[in-house]
Amino acid sequence: METAMSKAVITITDAEFETEVLKAEQPVLVYFWASWCGPCQLMSPLINSAATKYSDRLKVVKMEIDPNPLTVKQYQVEGVPALRLFQGQEVLISTEGVIGKDKLLELLDTHLNNN
């Protein structure tokens, strides 16, 4: 039975990245954002809705860029909002800037339906 918790977007830090993302059993969508980023405010509801829609086959985490420079540098996040879809150590999707709901769902459907 699903709980509301399983659909929540989890906030992580550099220290948790390996465990929460790279060692996760299912694909993980990482949403990079910043408190000062206006476009990030537009993307947040979309990320939450993706977490709910794909809760059975996708883990969604968010990471604020300013307090987490190691991961930001490692995955070359140059602008926010940014998304990275991981399957294990591999990055399947990499986007920067605001994308619409249709585009996000299309990207996720493409990768998640192949599993």
Side-chain angles (χ1 to χ4, degrees), residues 6 10 19-30 50-51 54-61 84-93 107-115:
S6 67
I10 305 162
T19 305
E20 293 289 339
V21 178
L22 302 178
K23 293 183 176 176
E25 292 183 13
Q26 60 191 145
V28 181
L29 181 65
V30 182
Y54 297 100
S55 63
D56 58 331
R57 54 201 159 130
L58 177 69
K59 179 177 184 178
V60 180
V61 300
R84 301 288 187 270
L85 178 65
F86 288 84
Q87 175 73 62
Q89 308 272 331
E90 185 183 355
V91 178
L92 304 177
I93 296 174
L107 288 170
L108 292 174
D109 283 339
T110 300
H111 290 281
L112 297 177
N113 289 339
N114 296 336
N115 289 346

Side-chain angles (χ1 to χ4, degrees), residues 23-81:
K23 293 183 176 176
E25 292 183 13
Q26 60 191 145
V28 181
L29 181 65
V30 182
Y31 168 51
F32 293 95
W33 68 285
S35 57
W36 44 262
C37 164
C40 295
Q41 311 304 325
L42 298 174
M43 285 286 290
S44 289
L46 184 55
I47 300 304
N48 292 335
S49 96
T52 301
K53 178 175 168 66
Y54 297 100
S55 63
D56 58 331
R57 54 201 159 130
L58 177 69
K59 179 177 184 178
V60 180
V61 300
K62 68 180 190 175
M63 177 176 270
E64 190 172 0
I65 60 165
D66 294 326
N68 298 293
L70 300 176
T71 305
V72 168
K73 184 173 189 224
Q74 184 171 358
Y75 293 98
Q76 299 165 348
V77 176
E78 294 176 6
V80 286

